[in-house]
Amino acid sequence: MSQSRTLRPVAIVGANRIPFCRAGTGYADLTNLDMLVSALQGLVDRYNLHGRQMDELVAGAVMTFPKDFNLAREALLSTGLSPLTPGITLQQACGTSLQAAFGIASKIACGQIECGIAAGTDSASDVPVLFSRRFSQRLVALSKAKTTRQKLTALKGFRPSELAPVAPAITEPRTELSMGEHCELMAKQWQISREAQDELALASHHRAESAYSNCFFDDLLSPCAGMLRDNNLRHALTLAQLEKLKPSFDRSAKGTLTAGNSTPLTDGAATLLLASEEWAAANNLPVLARLTHMETAAVDHVGGEGLLMAPTVAVARMLQRAELSLQDFTHYEIHEAFAAQVLCTLRAWESEEYCRDRLGLGRALGSIDRNKLNMTGSSLAVGHPFAATGARIAGTLARQLELAGQGRGLISICTAGGMGVAAILER
């Protein structure tokens, strides 16, 4: 029996994304494949990977067409990467590209591979529009028909109403509620005020605006289709402007989630380059940060738990394994799907009852220093192309740690389906 290997450190050595755009604007004519190719090529150009055979590329999208089944492989074949690079396509809703990084990191840690690229792309502008199931079945039958009689049989009983398209909808299949409707329920359960949500959204925009002013994103962004920066960012945004917006999901006087404190439908793509430290040194690439811990969790949202509360479970479990407290971090990156989700998460970690009864802990995880939260802005400001968000956040955090010279960062991302992913980066 061979001797087991010691797990190796996993380095984040690069990141690149294209600017994120509100649906129907800058990338209205682009596909998931177009955007992923652009983000990948930007990574190739930035880190001189032309002709390089990577051990694997793992990428995915949430809003996909059947033709996108081989998305990762098709994307890399349109870039300067070696065509000998394997492409793997996966999907875990908003956690897709971070989950892709987890798989690559695990293989690097155990010595199976030396390097890999995790990526995600999503277009809310180019979504599949389906016909009714009955009409789809007719088309399949027609394609198989060989005689006129068989073709007429396939069309028998046809009604024009079958041609009505099925409108795309972002709802949970089990509850038939949208993510926003679920988060509104969470906000009511945890008594999160509209004012607190608007203040968090305002901070996100102001911090992202400051980061742009300080050229923070220069080494993380490559242009695409004439876009040079995220177009969701609102400059000189004020609380008064946010307060004027009407509730988007619960339209009664009790509704608190608005277009201002919720992420917009967004188009974009992001990439993350991971490697062993040996590979990084051999290729003269810096170690921005190390991915040291990873966790995935789920909650029973069908049974009544908050749809977007799974990160509370993932983070608690990860902290136990890492033997760290919630306060042992210099940076916190909590995905801002909705301002309310971030605030519910923070309040849950502060709750003795929740931490005891749901997380099985002896005491509350406690509070964090809000000045260390999403310091360069997050999804509320820059946007949220579902599958791209994990790679964006990990790349952003790695860059922050590099600039700081040292530190430890926590990543927390909620996803559709009642799941959550979490990670720790260190330098």
Side-chain angles (χ1 to χ4, degrees), residues 373-392:
L373 173 64
N374 298 343
M375 290 189 283
T376 59
S378 191
S379 307
L380 286 169
V382 303
H384 173 36
F386 304 123
T389 287
R392 175 195 67 79

Side-chain angles (χ1 to χ4, degrees), residues 52-55 73 76-77 81-87:
R52 182 63 57 86
Q53 179 180 342
M54 306 300 293
D55 287 333
R73 175 65 176 165
L76 74 88
L77 290 174
L81 290 172
S82 166
L84 302 182
T85 301

Side-chain angles (χ1 to χ4, degrees), residues 228-272:
L228 302 177
R229 56 168 54 192
D230 308 303
N231 73 2
N232 181 63
L233 178 60
R234 295 294 176 259
H235 299 280
L237 182 68
T238 66
L239 197 58
Q241 290 173 313
L242 289 171
E243 290 172 345
K244 292 179 182 178
L245 300 175
K246 296 180 179 180
S248 298
F249 304 102
D250 178 353
R251 299 181 185 276
S252 73
K254 297 181 179 179
T256 60
L257 274 68
T258 71
N261 57 42
S262 308
T263 50
L265 291 174
T266 313
D267 305 335
T271 65
L272 193 68

Side-chain angles (χ1 to χ4, degrees), residues 63 127-128 166-173 176-179 265:
M63 310 284 281
V127 296
V166 178
I170 306 173
T171 57
E172 287 294 318
E176 298 185 347
L177 296 177
S178 70
M179 192 175 290
L265 291 174

